[in-house]
Amino acid sequence: MMGAAHRTRIIAATSGRLALLAAVVVVASALHPAAAQSAPTPSAAFVRVNQVGYPAAAMKRAYLMASVVETGATFSVNDSTGGTVFSVPIGANLGSWSSTYSNVYALDFDDVTTAGSYTISVSGPVPATSPSFRIDTGASVYATPLANALSFYQTERDGPDFIPNALRTAPGHLNDQTAMTYETPHVNPSGRFSGDLTPLGTRIDASGGWWDAGDYIKGVQTLGYTTDLLLVGVRDFPNQMGVGSATSDFTAEAKFGTDWLLRMWDDQTQSFYYQVGIGTGNANTVGDHDIWRLPQEDDTFGGTDPRYRYIRNRPVFRAGPPRSLISPNLAGRSAAAFGLCFQIYKTSDPAFANRCLLAGQHIFDLADTTPKGNLTTYIPFSFYPESEWRSDLELGAVELYRAVAGGGLPPGLPHTDPLFYLQQAAHWANAYISSPEGAADTLNLYDVSGLAHYELHRAIGQAGSPPGLEVTQAELLADMRKALDGALAQAATDPFGFGFPWATWDTTSHGAGLSVMASEYNELSGTSTYAAFSARWLDNILGANAWGSSFIIGDGSTFPHCPHHQVANLVGSLDGSPPVLAGAAVEGPNGTLYRGFQTGMRNCPPDDSDPFAQFNSRAKFKDDIESFSTVEPAVDLTATSPLAFARQAAGLL
């Protein structure tokens, strides 16, 4: 079973990890379309589609979910004039979703390829009609979702270099520019510490970066992972995520994330810092998760009241003494970001790129390759219980290889032979494949092998397949296939064919990550082995699911209106009309719904309605400000989606 350790947070009694999302100008329904659906009757049916649309060249599947057997039903694809362009009997009964909706059918329409706007109608025992959707080129279908994703990260910016928009009218946390550093405190599982924090006497500029989620904490674990994925997109997909795009050029945004990672590393003293802000306070202090407010309020929050001192002047936590070993998960993903930085910016900003490469090599050399106990993630570890780290070192090594192999190196590097890093990458790939966690998960915050193997496979080819490496291209492909086949086994248990358990944390992120991995495998193998699922797993998180909702805000006609996020809640709309946090991926369906109203929240939905409840089974989804387990967005949750969109837009199905 693929596992995804979840993120949790505590706000007041119960609340979740928060994230800020970007506002973009989108046309959205003022109310959830689902809100118009009454409680299920003895006979009810719904058609679920990818509400963003389908690339003309992709395989296309929608789903009919019904409370009765739809024997003899047919479905039609209708164009914008109402004309029927395709009509056939419904496909196979894929099984039961819930006791209420015990029949789910496949509606395949691969042959419809003409660009346009369409709906699907079902004629049978219980008729049903889908929301409208587009068919067009991949570039056209995913242009707006890519622009939305960029806007999300721009709105998530912290520090003086914020980008004004409808949700952001002022910079936040300017005091981070002279932040005091501290020892990591001893905390209980909910993050509460006793006594007081111990300052180290050193101040650093920890400003910038993105907020991790809907709260205002920043950490290398999630921001490093996010930066890695955005940088890969900028490098590999210039027309979708780089300088070739007029609407979704992430070049500056990825550099913004990289710049913050550099601020968390003091190359002169070899000191590694990993978190800004403290989530939970104690009897004498207030933490980030204890209050609900806009970020620009923090620098003066509470005046001189000492209880709010760590809100006004946020602590920065050091991972260990100078020159001490660095937790391998953080070392690997930081080294990867800095290797990618050199590859991308060495021409446009050589001084910045040179700093990156020197930092990346120094950090990689300090990686703790025999870690004991918990890895370093966030405070407390229980909020982000990461355990897999070998794939991080594989990714770090392969990006340093590509950086060094590209030449134009600055002086003073510890390693100038690219083969050194290729051998390191192969070593850690082999260690990952041989470990109990090998192929146990798919691309997400807690396992980056789905990207690392892809990068290493290409690097080995670039190097001419030198002898003596601890892993071969064939073995890398086999491990990717093992993970994807695990996803197919999971998909076989779900009538909607999703490759990850719906009743588990991080479902949205895993759906996009699976789409990326399936596309990567097809590209490397020169086959279409997983082409259908590369599309379907993305469809699943964009509306082709039991709830008929996209789990990325602003993408599609039905999406979360009430994200568990402070800026979205306090400044954005409560009904899906602009401004919304478009582009932000939320947690998605989960096995548990949480409640807990925080003072200062705007109640959302205002009438406390729950239009999705009728579609819940063991997996549940609720669009409610209190339900952090389903509608909290985050930078890492979102990071796989622009890469998935870019691959589809580029025709890499």
Side-chain angles (χ1 to χ4, degrees):
M1 175 69 69
M2 291 175 295
H6 65 268
R7 83 246 19 266
T8 55
R9 291 196 33 200
I10 303 298
I11 290 187
T14 55
S15 191
R17 164 179 134 163
L18 308 165
L20 177 64
L21 306 163
V24 296
V25 177
V26 294
V27 178
S29 57
L31 294 173
H32 271 306
Q37 300 164 353
S38 60
T41 64
S43 56
F46 303 90
V47 177
R48 305 310 201 191
V49 299
N50 179 335
Q51 296 168 13
V52 168
Y54 298 84
M59 296 182 184
K60 306 172 190 71
R61 171 169 287 189
Y63 299 88
L64 170 65
M65 183 174 71
S67 59
V68 299
V69 175
E70 293 271 26
T71 302
T74 62
F75 80 94
S76 301
V77 180
N78 308 308
D79 63 21
S80 58
T81 70
T84 298
V85 300
F86 182 80
S87 183
V88 295
I90 62 172
N93 189 328
L94 301 171
S96 174
W97 168 253
S98 66
S99 58
T100 301
Y101 297 103
S102 53
N103 302 277
V104 178
Y105 299 87
L107 309 179
D108 292 321
F109 53 105
D110 299 345
D111 292 342
V112 182
T113 58
T114 302
S117 178
Y118 297 90
T119 58
I120 291 174
S121 60
V122 173
S123 300
V126 183
T129 302
S130 77
S132 64
F133 59 90
R134 296 172 58 206
I135 293 177
D136 210 327
T137 64
S140 180
V141 167
Y142 285 107
T144 295
L146 277 165
N148 287 349
L150 174 60
S151 180
F152 162 64
Y153 286 106
Q154 290 173 334
T155 302
E156 200 79 356
R157 282 190 177 201
D158 199 21
D161 295 326
F162 83 109
I163 296 177
N165 60 32
L167 296 181
R168 297 294 310 282
T169 59
H173 305 111
L174 298 182
N175 290 347
D176 284 356
Q177 294 173 102
T178 56
M180 176 58 71
T181 60
Y182 292 82
E183 292 182 1
T184 298
H186 295 289
V187 298
N188 67 18
S190 62
R192 192 175 179 86
F193 61 93
S194 59
D196 202 356
L197 301 178
T198 303
L200 296 170
T202 299
R203 294 188 180 275
I204 68 168
D205 181 357
S207 63
W210 307 292
W211 305 315
D212 167 63
D215 60 359
Y216 303 128
I217 293 176
K218 301 177 292 193
V220 170
Q221 186 210 24
T222 53
L223 272 66
Y225 164 81
T226 298
T227 303
D228 289 347
L229 269 62
L230 297 187
L231 287 166
V232 166
V234 168
R235 184 197 64 195
D236 289 352
F237 299 98
N239 293 328
Q240 292 77 31
M241 294 182 66
V243 295
S245 173
T247 57
S248 53
D249 182 359
F250 283 78
T251 306
E253 204 58 30
K255 188 177 182 182
F256 180 80
T258 308
D259 181 69
W260 183 79
L261 293 175
L262 278 175
R263 294 169 191 256
M264 300 302 282
W265 167 249
D266 185 332
D267 202 62
Q268 182 175 358
T269 65
Q270 305 276 283
S271 298
F272 193 92
Y273 303 96
Y274 69 98
Q275 179 173 320
V276 179
I278 185 74
T280 306
N282 58 21
N284 301 312
T285 62
V286 172
D288 185 273
H289 301 168
D290 300 322
I291 53 178
W292 194 263
R293 78 289 185 197
L294 292 175
Q296 55 263 40
E297 299 175 22
D298 279 5
D299 284 337
T300 58
F301 198 97
T304 59
D305 189 331
R307 292 176 300 168
Y308 298 98
R309 61 187 181 275
Y310 296 133
I311 300 296
R312 294 188 297 270
N313 296 288
R314 305 199 300 172
V316 177
F317 296 101
R318 193 179 67 185
R323 297 178 176 80
S324 60
L325 296 180
I326 301 168
S327 189
N329 55 323
L330 302 187
R333 60 191 58 182
S334 293
F338 296 143
L340 284 158
C341 165
F342 185 78
Q343 297 169 49
I344 295 167
Y345 303 108
K346 68 178 180 180
T347 300
S348 61
D349 192 343
F352 180 75
N354 290 347
R355 284 181 59 211
C356 282
L357 187 55
L358 191 63
Q361 291 205 4
H362 287 162
I363 289 171
F364 190 85
D365 281 350
L366 286 174
D368 183 356
T369 58
T370 55
K372 303 292 190 299
N374 294 336
L375 299 175
T376 301
T377 58
Y378 274 81
I379 302 169
F381 173 78
S382 58
F383 285 7
Y384 288 86
E386 183 177 19
S387 59
E388 203 296 301
W389 51 272
R390 296 166 184 85
S391 63
D392 291 297
L393 291 180
E394 177 190 354
L395 184 62
V398 73
E399 299 305 351
L400 290 173
Y401 161 78
R402 295 186 67 157
V404 174
L409 305 179
L413 293 176
H415 308 283
T416 56
D417 181 359
L419 186 60
F420 169 80
Y421 286 113
L422 191 65
Q423 291 170 335
Q424 285 288 305
H427 171 77
W428 291 114
N430 179 63
Y432 170 87
I433 292 169
S434 304
S435 76
E437 293 182 291
D441 200 356
T442 54
L443 180 60
N444 77 110
L445 175 67
Y446 297 99
D447 187 321
V448 299
S449 63
L451 178 60
H453 285 2
Y454 169 76
E455 291 285 89
L456 181 54
H457 187 287
R458 296 199 299 172
I460 291 173
Q462 175 185 335
S465 300
L469 297 179
E470 293 182 46
V471 73
T472 65
Q473 288 177 308
E475 288 168 335
L476 292 168
L477 266 182
D479 199 58
M480 292 179 72
R481 182 158 191 159
K482 181 179 178 181
L484 287 166
D485 286 347
L488 290 184
Q490 172 61 38
T493 70
D494 170 39
F496 292 93
F498 194 46
F500 190 74
W502 287 113
T504 306
W505 295 83
D506 297 6
T507 45
T508 306
S509 177
H510 273 86
L514 280 165
S515 179
V516 169
M517 284 188 66
S519 173
E520 289 173 341
Y521 182 91
N522 292 340
E523 178 191 349
L524 294 178
S525 65
T527 70
S528 59
T529 303
Y530 299 102
F533 284 93
S534 175
R536 287 178 196 166
W537 287 327
L538 202 52
D539 297 343
N540 287 149
I541 63 173
L542 293 173
N545 54 63
W547 300 272
S549 177
S550 168
F551 302 126
I552 301 180
I553 298 173
D555 293 353
S557 53
T558 301
F559 54 80
H561 295 171
C562 304
H564 186 81
H565 179 279
Q566 293 174 95
V567 171
N569 177 249
L570 293 173
V571 182
S573 76
L574 304 182
D575 61 7
S577 60
V580 298
L581 302 173
V586 301
E587 282 280 358
N590 211 318
T592 305
L593 302 176
Y594 289 90
R595 298 181 59 188
F597 196 82
Q598 175 77 357
T599 300
M601 283 180 175
R602 297 165 67 205
N603 191 40
C604 189
D607 63 358
D608 289 320
S609 60
D610 187 2
F612 299 106
Q614 62 171 306
F615 307 122
N616 288 339
S617 61
R618 180 171 177 267
K620 306 170 180 66
F621 179 72
K622 187 173 185 178
D623 184 16
D624 189 295
I625 183 65
E626 300 180 43
S627 185
F628 67 89
S629 59
T630 58
V631 291
E632 185 171 15
V635 293
D636 67 279
L637 294 179
T638 302
T640 48
S641 59
L643 202 53
F645 299 153
R647 297 191 72 85
Q648 295 288 316
L652 295 173
L653 307 177

